[in-house]
Amino acid sequence: MLAIVMFSMGCTVEAHKLWGHVKKPWGISIGFLCQFGLMPLIAFALSLAFGVLPVQAIVIIIMGCCPGGSGSNIICYWLDGDMDLSISMTACSSILALGMMPLCLLIYTTTWTTGSPIQIPYDSIGITLAALLIPIAVGMYVKRRWPEQAKKILKVGSIAGFLLIIIIAVVGGVLYQSSWTIAPSLWIIGTIYPFIGFSLGFLMARFVGQPWYRCRTIALETGFQNSQLCSTIVQLSFNAEELEVMFAFPLIYSIFQLVVAVICVGSYQLYKKRFKRDADGSDSEAADSDVGLHKIRALENYGFEGNEGSIGAVKSNDKNTKL
């Protein structure tokens, strides 16, 4: 299902723009700093501030060290972000996670870990990367060969992708409802962490002078973590007793990052409609004022006949007046 959705997202991507982001990776570099600099640091600070259990602190930091999730690409489409930048950032963060995740976990989890090291599922990262890049490449080819069909695929895929994110969050909540009985501190962290990630990513991008649509893109890539990868790491690294007090956090984070995304998409789409309506009204007012001004000039100069034709017709009448 993810591959089908990413195929439709690939129908928005142009190869030369994607390559441009790779050749001059300003946006990718900012996203990298936010993804593997800010997010693990925020996770570490929240764990200390709320005084959670060691295993709970570890799962929070694992979430902060994960690369960006593919859901950010779908939300980026609905927020009119830079799709080429979004996809390149998701791909690059997944590749860089192979080295950055172990490094960040080593730095931030030593305060709580005393046993065996955390296992990084490199095969899961590779599968995620393949499920991202191969369908996007096919979508780019379709866009190049059949641009009209690509537009139709994109419309269907964008709606299906948005619904898919909601379905995954709801099904995950139902299947793992036995894990919801956890400490209130994890609920609070899981609620505010996505908001902090989105906000700081947006502010960082704006601080370095990125345009608004790229600020939205970088914010999404910062706040949207690969929660499925976090769940996989947790299941591989901890026993059943430890899982009972920590497994719900990835689900909580994924639900509230979806809540943030829905709020942002809804607010932005309402703003677009309002802005378009205001723009249409101002255009009609401007057209009415032009017609009114034309009529006034026709009354002042008897050579004008006051028709609402083209500028060329007005000039012709003016010439006749002079004659």
Side-chain angles (χ1 to χ4, degrees), residues 7-298:
F7 163 68
S8 65
M9 294 294 103
C11 292
T12 67
V13 179
E14 297 181 18
H16 69 279
K17 292 183 180 179
L18 188 65
W19 180 243
H21 285 300
V22 176
K23 287 175 63 179
K24 296 181 179 179
W26 304 117
I28 295 175
S29 300
I30 299 165
F32 171 80
L33 291 175
C34 294
Q35 188 76 60
F36 296 110
L38 284 178
M39 292 301 283
L41 181 60
I42 296 168
F44 180 76
L46 289 172
S47 300
L48 288 177
F50 284 87
V52 297
L53 297 173
V55 290
Q56 294 173 337
I58 291 170
V59 72
I60 294 169
I61 293 173
I62 292 173
M63 177 61 75
C65 296
C66 284
S70 56
S72 61
N73 308 130
I74 301 168
I75 304 301
C76 182
Y77 170 80
W78 287 102
L79 288 179
D80 292 337
D82 190 334
M83 287 297 298
D84 304 285
L85 176 60
S86 177
I87 288 173
S88 61
M89 286 177 66
T90 302
C92 289
S93 68
S94 298
I95 295 171
L96 293 170
L98 297 172
M100 291 305 301
M101 282 193 72
L103 177 61
C104 291
L105 290 173
L106 177 64
I107 293 172
Y108 290 106
T109 62
T110 50
T111 305
W112 296 281
T113 54
T114 56
S116 59
I118 298 171
Q119 299 182 47
I120 307 297
Y122 296 103
D123 53 347
S124 296
I125 297 175
I127 291 171
T128 301
L129 192 60
L132 175 73
L133 295 180
I134 295 174
I136 286 174
V138 176
M140 291 168 63
Y141 178 77
V142 171
K143 177 179 173 62
R144 184 177 179 180
R145 289 293 304 272
W146 304 284
E148 293 302 320
Q149 286 78 1
K151 292 179 181 178
K152 298 177 182 178
I153 293 172
L154 177 61
K155 289 181 179 179
V156 175
S158 60
I159 297 172
F162 196 77
L163 294 176
L164 177 61
I165 293 175
I166 297 175
I167 291 169
I168 289 174
V170 173
V171 171
V174 172
L175 290 178
Y176 299 100
Q177 57 184 335
S178 60
S179 301
W180 294 119
T181 307
I182 55 173
S185 56
L186 276 191
W187 275 102
I188 297 172
I189 294 173
T191 303
I192 66 175
Y193 193 9
F195 284 90
I196 296 172
F198 285 120
S199 302
L200 289 183
F202 186 90
L203 293 174
M204 176 69 77
R206 193 59 190 164
F207 177 75
V208 297
Q210 292 293 304
W212 293 108
Y213 71 105
R214 286 187 179 169
C215 290
R216 296 194 294 271
T217 304
I218 293 170
L220 286 172
E221 293 298 324
T222 302
F224 248 94
Q225 301 294 87
N226 193 333
S227 56
Q228 292 84 5
L229 180 60
C230 179
S231 299
T232 303
I233 294 172
V234 169
Q235 292 179 69
L236 289 174
S237 303
F238 300 94
N239 58 46
E241 293 180 359
E242 292 170 328
L243 284 174
E244 287 184 3
V245 296
M246 64 192 303
F247 188 70
F249 182 77
L251 299 174
I252 295 171
Y253 187 95
S254 63
I255 288 172
F256 282 100
Q257 75 178 3
L258 176 62
V259 170
V260 177
V262 170
I263 292 172
C264 291
V265 170
S267 302
Y268 180 74
Q269 292 297 326
L270 288 174
Y271 168 77
K272 273 180 63 177
K273 291 181 180 179
R274 176 69 180 272
F275 180 78
K276 183 178 180 180
R277 186 167 61 248
D278 292 345
D280 292 341
S282 62
D283 289 343
S284 62
E285 289 176 4
D288 292 342
S289 63
D290 289 342
V291 173
L293 182 60
H294 186 187
K295 291 180 178 178
I296 291 171
R297 286 178 176 171

